[in-house]
Amino acid sequence: MKRFSRLLCFGLVPTLLLFAGCAHYPLNQPIRQEGYSFEKCTQPPDADETFVVLTFSGGGTRAAALAYGVLEKMRRIKLPGRNRTLLDEVDVISTVSGGSFTGAYYALFGDRIFTDFRKDFLDRNIQGELAGEVANPVNWFRLASPWFSRIDLAAELYDRSIFASATFGELASRGRRPFLIVNATNLQDGARFEFTGDQFRYLGSEILSFPIARAVAASSAFPFLLAPLSLVNYPYPAGKKLTEEDRLALEDYWLNRRRYQAASSNALYADAANHPYVHLMDGGLSDNLGLRAVYDLYLRKGIRARINDGRIKRFLVIVVNAKTESPEKLDRSESPPSLAKVAYKTCTISMDNYAFETVEGFRNLIEERLRMQGVNQDCQTLLDRHASDGYRIPSLAGGDMKLGVVDVSFDGLPNPSERAYFNGLPTSFSLTQEQVEKLIEAGGRLLEENPDFREFMQEAF
């Protein structure tokens, strides 16, 4: 027995410690071929006519279940005169944190989400399972490595039990929509980081071999609870990392500061010598709705061009926002809140405020497009009435294109007690089956009864 103990102490333990020093997170690979991009998702051929964008916010299982309820309702909405549902028309899904589980699962597995997602994710105690992974003595030695942390254990758990070891290459190989954008935050400058081929090109890296589970883990890596997820920024000719648009924008500070700011973030990756790694955390730190990705896609990567040339006849954006209002009243006590409370509020207050401004900003963008379209049509009417040469003003926004921005949130619940119930649900990855069922039902109902959604459906179809 003593001999065995000595063997354990002087043989096994040093061996395990040696392995601990070797534990390392999976590295993203250098670029070898073009990656996963919106421009390559062209199927079906008539995908642009009714263009539907979904954004799923952060908020743990609460957000995932609310988003699932919206998908379920969209599946039941048959489009007039078409053998298709509204869900069939989804072109882009942009996700953050808890919403990334639902969005990535649907993009990867399609309708299988309606048979398997509850048991694979919603009805599980993911928090408890992750705690069990951390408590497993086998993982203690891996966690002792400076290159391996709880975020890597979480990614492994998601990879084997939710996403079936799928990579972005599986999405890219299909060449069809919806196009998935999983959002995280770069801790270096606080900028949004999206898991797409375009973003990975800035790293000189290939996204096709990158596990979807690791992207979702980065998107949902809430500060203090999980460590950042790390990527390698590979040396690569700056001329191939930065686009011509980036180079022009870097000269346009006084002309267009928004473009300049975006290009400045991209320029960090071009300098791999001084920025050899990227550390990512919860996407909610930069945009808790995933709507900024849609804004960029709209302005710079194809949506606006499709509107202007008339391919898009109906453009619908559905923002599924699981933001809640905390019932706590910190200002009722004379003594200041605890350090833990302050840390939590520091992370979440900016998320909620920024979410509101993001929705309103995007809504204003759409409203401006509508206003310009109306002016265009009025001018054409005057020309038709008073001019005889038959001149036609170039069409704007696809002529009579219908536009809609729908904000699905608990604020839309008319019953105060019901609203208080959902606002009181925790931001965690562990809810009861009853809570999940109520969230799913609420998601479908909030979409169906939303005035903006009903108006769009009546006018567009």
Side-chain angles (χ1 to χ4, degrees):
M1 187 64 181
K2 290 182 179 179
R3 183 179 179 184
F4 176 77
S5 299
R6 287 195 298 270
L7 178 64
L8 182 65
C9 292
F10 297 106
L12 180 60
V13 171
T15 301
L16 290 174
L17 289 174
L18 177 63
F19 282 130
C22 297
H24 201 293
Y25 62 87
L27 296 175
N28 53 303
Q29 297 302 304
I31 194 167
R32 291 189 295 271
Q33 55 184 312
E34 294 186 17
Y36 179 57
S37 65
F38 171 70
E39 288 76 11
K40 294 183 179 181
C41 296
T42 57
Q43 297 297 323
D46 61 346
D48 286 337
E49 188 170 318
T50 299
F51 200 95
V52 179
V53 175
L54 301 178
T55 77
F56 295 158
S57 81
T61 300
R62 184 188 69 224
L66 188 70
Y68 177 85
V70 170
L71 291 179
E72 199 173 60
K73 176 58 67 175
M74 293 177 69
R75 185 193 187 199
R76 297 192 180 118
I77 298 175
K78 303 290 185 181
L79 298 183
R82 298 169 176 79
N83 188 28
R84 295 173 66 82
T85 69
L86 185 59
L87 185 58
D88 293 329
E89 300 289 350
V90 174
D91 296 277
V92 178
I93 303 178
S94 178
T95 69
V96 179
S97 197
S100 292
F101 288 89
T102 307
Y105 198 98
Y106 177 68
L108 185 62
F109 299 121
D111 284 349
R112 176 180 146 185
I113 193 172
F114 302 113
T115 57
D116 295 350
F117 189 58
R118 287 202 60 168
K119 67 177 177 62
D120 284 351
F121 179 75
L122 292 179
D123 291 333
R124 289 170 56 188
N125 181 356
I126 296 294
Q127 274 187 204
E129 293 181 36
L130 182 55
E133 293 292 315
V134 173
N136 187 338
V138 173
N139 290 325
W140 293 351
F141 297 97
R142 302 172 73 198
L143 292 171
S145 168
W147 303 288
F148 192 90
S149 69
R150 286 173 297 170
I151 192 67
D152 301 303
L153 284 181
E156 290 179 351
L157 176 65
Y158 306 157
D159 190 61
R160 67 174 179 266
S161 65
I162 301 175
F163 297 109
S165 301
T167 65
F168 281 91
E170 295 184 38
L171 291 176
S173 65
R174 300 171 188 177
R176 65 171 186 263
R177 300 177 189 173
F179 177 65
L180 174 68
I181 307 173
V182 177
N183 295 279
T185 300
N186 185 344
L187 285 180
Q188 173 66 27
D189 60 353
R192 184 180 62 85
F193 183 98
E194 63 181 43
F195 285 86
T196 62
D198 291 337
Q199 182 80 71
F200 265 53
R201 188 195 69 245
Y202 287 113
L203 302 180
S205 181
E206 178 185 277
I207 196 173
L208 299 181
S209 60
F210 196 80
I212 290 175
R214 287 190 67 78
V216 173
S219 181
S220 56
F222 192 80
F224 310 113
L225 298 180
L226 291 170
L229 184 138
S230 299
L231 299 174
V232 179
N233 183 22
Y234 289 99
Y236 203 58
K240 292 187 178 181
K241 281 195 173 187
L242 292 179
T243 65
E244 183 63 22
E245 183 180 14
D246 290 324
R247 286 186 283 271
L248 291 174
L250 288 172
E251 301 173 0
D252 286 348
Y253 176 79
W254 297 110
L255 182 64
N256 190 325
R257 297 187 189 185
R258 181 171 287 162
R259 281 183 50 186
Y260 175 86
Q261 184 65 34
S264 295
S265 294
N266 294 336
L268 286 177
Y269 305 118
D271 186 8
N274 289 314
H275 303 280
Y277 300 99
V278 178
H279 304 292
L280 304 174
M281 292 218 72
D282 196 297
L285 298 176
S286 54
D287 173 18
N288 200 38
L289 294 179
L291 196 54
R292 295 290 302 181
V294 181
Y295 182 90
D296 290 344
L297 198 63
Y298 176 85
L299 289 180
R300 290 185 277 275
K301 297 177 183 175
I303 294 180
R304 186 164 59 176
R306 287 169 167 81
I307 291 174
N308 290 338
D309 66 16
R311 277 181 282 173
I312 297 179
K313 308 297 184 186
R314 310 166 196 88
F315 181 36
L316 175 64
V317 179
I318 300 176
V319 180
V320 184
N321 184 1
K323 177 186 76 70
T324 63
E325 296 178 3
S326 174
E328 295 176 315
K329 302 295 183 181
L330 300 181
D331 52 4
R332 288 184 177 178
S333 173
E334 180 180 3
S335 60
S338 66
L339 183 61
K341 184 73 67 179
V342 170
Y344 177 78
K345 285 293 183 181
T346 299
C347 293
T348 57
I349 286 177
S350 59
M351 287 185 189
D352 294 343
N353 290 340
Y354 191 56
F356 171 79
E357 293 298 335
T358 302
V359 172
E360 292 307 304
F362 194 84
R363 190 189 304 277
N364 291 341
L365 177 71
I366 299 298
E367 289 173 349
E368 178 64 15
R369 162 83 46 189
L370 282 171
R371 188 189 68 79
M372 293 174 65
Q373 178 177 328
V375 170
N376 192 14
Q377 291 171 339
D378 290 343
C379 290
Q380 186 64 59
T381 299
L382 288 173
L383 281 173
D384 293 343
R385 185 181 303 164
H386 299 290
S388 58
D389 59 1
Y391 177 77
R392 305 295 299 176
I393 298 175
S395 63
L396 177 67
D400 294 327
M401 187 189 75
K402 303 301 180 184
L403 295 156
V405 179
V406 177
D407 184 12
V408 175
S409 68
F410 299 128
D411 291 339
L413 294 169
N415 187 318
S417 62
E418 185 181 24
R419 195 162 57 245
Y421 170 81
F422 289 111
N423 281 332
L425 292 179
T427 302
S428 68
F429 285 110
S430 175
L431 295 178
T432 67
Q433 289 190 11
E434 179 185 6
Q435 290 169 332
V436 168
E437 288 169 3
K438 288 184 176 181
L439 283 160
I440 293 172
E441 189 278 332
R445 178 158 45 93
L446 282 166
L447 176 66
E448 187 175 39
E449 297 177 357
N450 186 288
D452 294 329
F453 177 72
R454 297 175 73 171
E455 180 181 353
F456 175 85
M457 295 300 292
Q458 289 170 2
E459 292 182 355
F461 296 99

